[in-house]
Amino acid sequence: MTQVWCSRQRDGLRWCVVWGWLLLSSVTALSGPAAPGQRVMRDETAGRPFPTRELGIRQSFSPDAPWPADIAAADERALAREFGVTWLHRGRREGITFVLYRCPNQGRAMGLARLIGGEALGDTVLTVAAGDDTEKRAAVRSFLRDKLTAWQATLPPEETDPRPVVLRKLPTQALQPDTEHYVVGTLGLARANWLPAPALLTPPGSAFAWADYTPAAPFDHFLVAEYPTPQDATAALEAARPLASTTCLVARRGNFIVIADGIRDMLRAQAAVERVEYDYVVRWLGEPPPRFGTPARTPQQDIRNVGQLLISIASFVVLAGFGMVLLGAVAGGAFFYWRRQRAGDGFIAADTMLRLDLHESRTLPDAGRASVKRLTD
């Protein structure tokens, strides 16, 4: 009996080892390194993984994975893809379902949140499913907001304004609150129902911002479109020219296309459009070509340059003359002093005149060592 029991124990232990090895192999195969060509994606910001476990997230979808139809409305999913959402997370807490859209930057999160009715927290858009229990929804929203705020506090601070450039270009005077919109494609631009659908081109890299204004403003709507290249801006301006009328103003400012609609005062509207400045500057990489290195001169600059040249020449002549006079005085004085020293007490010839010293106490110097020629020689 003892041997039978020991044999069964060994068989059971053997099967445990086999099943454990199979389980470990399966886990290793699932969590091991990706095959060549297979990309392993992980939701993170500034090198820090997104806190999916802390938030209670149950499902996560990358942009390459198919998103379930029940995770959000079709138009919301289409807008999210247009805004370039990098991750879609769905979770459930206290019976309330929530969805988090992870955007490439804070500007796109702000625009997407305004369009789908969510709340932007950094680069994350929070949406909570509608339900009858208002208290639970508020509690879940507060919990998620606190967790996301605490996580974002651990990230490096951003130095730039999180709002996109086109949003900052909108006039702020007489602006209706909560009417600013920011979009990056055709689906979002279609939300501007006052603008005809084919009015503006939407190439990749473009961005659009518009807002509504009170009767105190000279217009009802104001839109700023940004294009990545001058060619795109030129094509967009040609496409938007049919909109121009007595109540609609279309203008180009750098790579911006500006549209003021519902104009009540053309002069004030024109001034508002001209205040929109394109801040970017095109610079050469390295040394510019010679014909671009020197900027074009105006006649006033040429006259100023010629005057400076004449002043420089006159200054050089005056300084050179003063230097020559000073050098001549020093050299001449030194030469006459040297001749006076060599003459000693004998005769001194100054030009064609001779001076004879006939004092009795004077004696003639030795003729061999005389420095001047004597009359008696």
Side-chain angles (χ1 to χ4, degrees), residues 45-68:
T45 299
R48 295 184 61 84
F50 194 66
T52 56
R53 182 176 301 179
E54 292 83 349
L55 295 173
I57 293 174
R58 298 185 178 182
Q59 291 178 299
S60 299
F61 304 94
S62 68
D64 300 332
W67 295 352

Side-chain angles (χ1 to χ4, degrees), residues 87-337:
W87 280 89
L88 190 69
H89 302 291
R90 177 168 63 176
R92 189 174 182 86
R93 182 176 176 82
E94 300 182 12
I96 303 297
T97 302
F98 61 89
V99 177
L100 301 177
Y101 298 89
R102 297 273 289 142
C103 296
N105 51 58
Q106 297 188 22
R108 294 205 171 189
M110 294 172 61
L112 180 61
R114 182 61 58 86
L115 292 178
I116 66 177
E119 180 180 1
L121 298 171
D123 59 359
T124 305
V125 178
L126 166 64
T127 59
V128 178
D132 298 332
D133 199 333
T134 307
E135 294 184 359
K136 281 188 177 181
R137 293 176 62 236
V140 171
R141 187 181 296 274
S142 177
F143 169 79
L144 296 175
R145 188 186 299 111
D146 294 342
K147 288 292 184 181
L148 286 173
T149 303
W151 176 72
Q152 289 168 0
T154 63
L155 301 178
E158 293 192 0
E159 299 179 357
T160 58
D161 191 337
R163 295 192 311 161
V165 175
V166 286
L167 269 179
R168 300 198 296 268
K169 296 300 179 180
L170 293 176
T172 57
Q173 188 175 4
L175 185 146
Q176 292 187 16
D178 299 328
T179 60
E180 296 173 286
H181 293 82
Y182 170 72
V183 299
V184 294
T186 307
L187 296 177
L189 192 60
R191 300 294 182 98
N193 50 17
W194 54 271
L195 188 69
L200 284 173
L201 303 180
T202 57
S206 56
F208 310 87
W210 74 88
D212 302 331
Y213 291 81
T214 63
F219 37 72
D220 292 331
H221 313 284
F222 198 91
L223 181 143
V224 179
E226 181 184 11
Y227 290 92
T229 65
Q231 292 81 0
D232 292 330
T234 302
L237 179 63
E238 293 299 324
R241 284 191 187 279
L243 294 177
S245 64
T246 57
T247 59
C248 184
L249 183 61
V250 180
R252 177 181 175 183
R253 306 286 291 172
N255 281 6
F256 290 153
I257 301 298
V258 184
I259 298 178
D261 185 64
I263 295 177
R264 292 181 288 270
D265 188 340
M266 181 59 73
L267 293 179
R268 293 174 56 197
Q270 181 69 35
V273 169
E274 292 178 354
R275 281 194 293 268
V276 177
E277 296 183 357
Y278 189 71
D279 299 329
Y280 300 108
V281 178
V282 178
R283 300 183 184 276
W284 290 99
L285 296 178
E287 294 295 331
R291 65 190 185 96
F292 294 110
T294 304
R297 297 191 305 269
T298 61
Q300 292 80 4
Q301 291 175 336
D302 291 337
I303 294 173
R304 187 181 302 110
N305 294 337
V306 171
Q308 292 177 352
L309 179 61
L310 293 177
I311 292 174
S312 301
I313 293 175
S315 301
F316 174 77
V317 170
V318 171
L319 292 176
F322 179 77
M324 291 177 64
V325 170
L326 181 62
L327 181 62
V330 173
F335 176 73
F336 283 106
Y337 178 77

Side-chain angles (χ1 to χ4, degrees), residues 25-81:
S25 301
S26 301
V27 172
T28 305
L30 292 176
S31 61
Q38 181 181 359
R39 184 176 59 175
V40 178
M41 298 183 63
R42 185 177 69 164
D43 185 10
E44 59 182 20
T45 299
R48 295 184 61 84
F50 194 66
T52 56
R53 182 176 301 179
E54 292 83 349
L55 295 173
I57 293 174
R58 298 185 178 182
Q59 291 178 299
S60 299
F61 304 94
S62 68
D64 300 332
W67 295 352
D70 60 340
I71 199 170
D75 58 342
E76 291 186 7
R77 295 199 309 272
L79 281 173
R81 290 190 180 278

